[in-house]
Amino acid sequence: MQDTVTLAHGAGGKQTSELIEKVFKAHFSNPYFTPDDAAVLQIPAGKMAMSTDGFIVSPAFFPGGNIGKLSICGTVNDLACMGAQPMYMTCAFVIEEGFPMAKLEEIAAAMEKTAAEAGVCIVAGDTKVAGKGQVDGVFITTTAVGRIMDGVQTGGALARPGDCVIVTGDIGRHGCTILLARDDYGIEADVTSDCAPLWKAVQNTLTAVPDIHVIRDATRGGVGTVLYEIAGQSGVGFSLEAESIPVEPGVKGVCGMLGLEPLYLACEGRLVIIAPPEKKDLILETLRQSPHTEGAACIGTVTADHPGRVVLNTEIGAQTILPRPGNELLPRIC
């Protein structure tokens, strides 16, 4: 097989078949994976959740992952937020002419490994090759469906005053990692993306506490943006304790140098969970014993005061209103 992707690989002929066989089928093969026009699947009884997402991260390879791993985590985690076990996934690639075949293989291998961890089967896909300069490397779109656990109902409109606000680990690492990987500022820091599939942690937590009100994936815009979205949906406010918000020292240092707020930096392996206050300790205990959520912490409460706003109680005892999210802070982080 050639060393780089050519336009012929997207033309539907011999080279396309070779690309699918030697790269994608080699990594994605499972009983449902099909060469036909559509996969035929077994669907269990009950409610289903479905999500789709496009990934155009730049750079496509970064400390802690690459666009392939990210494309699985992002969509699987969206299903997990609805209490849905991921089952089947499709993926579509748009690849720039000249993209190294070895890099494409590395992306496919990362997808294979992450899908196996998440328990999702990649069952179908599509490949297009764009001319040089029409695409920045490779873009991936993934769509997945999953079965919602019995007795579970989560949603942004279900937050209630008095609820606890939990994050499943330190925040802002993915956004900080991408910023550093671009090397625009000449800053060196030991920061690795938090990119991870979170279904198993969610499954464990919902098994222990089925009546969790809200689970949200803190991706673009970070935890701060997620809280403002929930505040608008539920008509509530939030009161956060700054000293309780976990931020890795490297991220804190970079944010201090550049004047960034970690609450607005993207995460790709962190959830915001809102639940009844009496369930806080059990949720934290369960998360801390689950994969990728060992650093879970309660960072505040839902309040009836100042609806639609997020208030931050600082380490020196002052209160400040967290500004509403504005312009894009870090374009192309996912």
Side-chain angles (χ1 to χ4, degrees), residues 275-290:
E278 65 271 15
K279 302 298 178 63
K280 178 186 72 173
D281 291 340
L282 179 55
I283 292 171
L284 288 173
E285 179 184 356
T286 304
L287 288 170
R288 289 167 181 168
Q289 295 175 0
S290 299

Side-chain angles (χ1 to χ4, degrees), residues 215-306:
I215 308 177
R216 291 293 279 271
D217 193 8
T219 53
R220 281 180 299 181
V223 172
T225 297
V226 163
L227 292 178
Y228 264 105
E229 290 173 352
I230 297 169
Q233 288 180 270
S234 292
V236 298
F238 289 96
S239 178
L240 306 184
E241 302 299 327
E243 62 183 3
S244 298
I245 299 172
V247 183
E248 192 179 72
V251 175
K252 190 174 292 186
V254 171
C255 288
M257 294 176 66
L258 299 179
L260 302 176
E261 170 54 67
L263 283 165
Y264 287 132
L265 287 180
C267 309
E268 286 293 345
R270 299 291 181 256
L271 303 174
V272 174
I273 295 176
I274 297 175
E278 65 271 15
K279 302 298 178 63
K280 178 186 72 173
D281 291 340
L282 179 55
I283 292 171
L284 288 173
E285 179 184 356
T286 304
L287 288 170
R288 289 167 181 168
Q289 295 175 0
S290 299
H292 308 302
T293 56
E294 297 87 351
C298 180
I299 64 170
T301 58
V302 180
T303 175
D305 301 331
H306 46 75

Side-chain angles (χ1 to χ4, degrees), residues 57-330:
V57 62
S58 178
F61 294 80
F62 48 84
N66 61 42
I67 191 172
K69 178 180 180 180
L70 185 65
S71 70
I72 302 296
C73 292
T75 303
V76 164
N77 291 348
D78 284 346
L79 292 183
C81 288
M82 305 310 296
Q85 177 181 1
M87 298 181 66
Y88 308 117
M89 173 176 283
T90 64
C91 57
F93 290 80
V94 180
I95 310 166
E96 183 182 20
E97 178 189 11
F99 191 77
M101 199 67 72
K103 290 292 185 182
L104 186 61
E105 179 110 28
E106 189 176 341
I107 288 168
M111 295 176 72
E112 175 187 22
K113 180 179 179 181
T114 309
E117 182 180 353
V120 67
C121 292
I122 299 174
V123 298
D126 183 55
T127 304
K128 296 292 188 293
V129 179
K132 191 72 173 177
Q134 292 181 316
V135 175
D136 183 8
V138 58
F139 296 167
I140 303 175
T141 299
T142 51
T143 299
V145 294
R147 182 184 182 278
I148 297 175
M149 296 175 64
D150 294 335
V152 169
Q153 182 180 7
T154 63
L158 301 179
R160 298 291 178 262
D163 282 353
C164 60
V165 180
I166 291 170
V167 292
T168 59
D170 62 279
I171 65 169
R173 267 204 282 142
H174 181 73
C176 187
T177 298
I178 298 301
L179 183 151
L180 294 174
R182 291 177 186 157
D183 201 24
D184 291 337
Y185 300 97
I187 299 173
E188 293 186 7
D190 185 17
V191 181
T192 301
S193 173
D194 56 11
C195 184
L198 300 174
W199 163 245
K200 290 181 181 177
V202 171
Q203 183 182 36
N204 292 344
T205 305
L206 286 172
T207 299
V209 183
D211 57 337
I212 288 175
H213 294 159
V214 186
I215 308 177
R216 291 293 279 271
D217 193 8
T219 53
R220 281 180 299 181
V223 172
T225 297
V226 163
L227 292 178
Y228 264 105
E229 290 173 352
I230 297 169
Q233 288 180 270
S234 292
V236 298
F238 289 96
S239 178
L240 306 184
E241 302 299 327
E243 62 183 3
S244 298
I245 299 172
V247 183
E248 192 179 72
V251 175
K252 190 174 292 186
V254 171
C255 288
M257 294 176 66
L258 299 179
L260 302 176
E261 170 54 67
L263 283 165
Y264 287 132
L265 287 180
C267 309
E268 286 293 345
R270 299 291 181 256
L271 303 174
V272 174
I273 295 176
I274 297 175
E278 65 271 15
K279 302 298 178 63
K280 178 186 72 173
D281 291 340
L282 179 55
I283 292 171
L284 288 173
E285 179 184 356
T286 304
L287 288 170
R288 289 167 181 168
Q289 295 175 0
S290 299
H292 308 302
T293 56
E294 297 87 351
C298 180
I299 64 170
T301 58
V302 180
T303 175
D305 301 331
H306 46 75
R309 293 184 176 181
V310 180
V311 171
L312 189 64
N313 301 304
T314 70
E315 291 90 341
I316 61 173
Q319 282 191 333
T320 182
I321 295 177
L322 197 69
R324 289 182 178 274
N327 295 329
E328 183 75 25
L329 180 62
L330 288 173

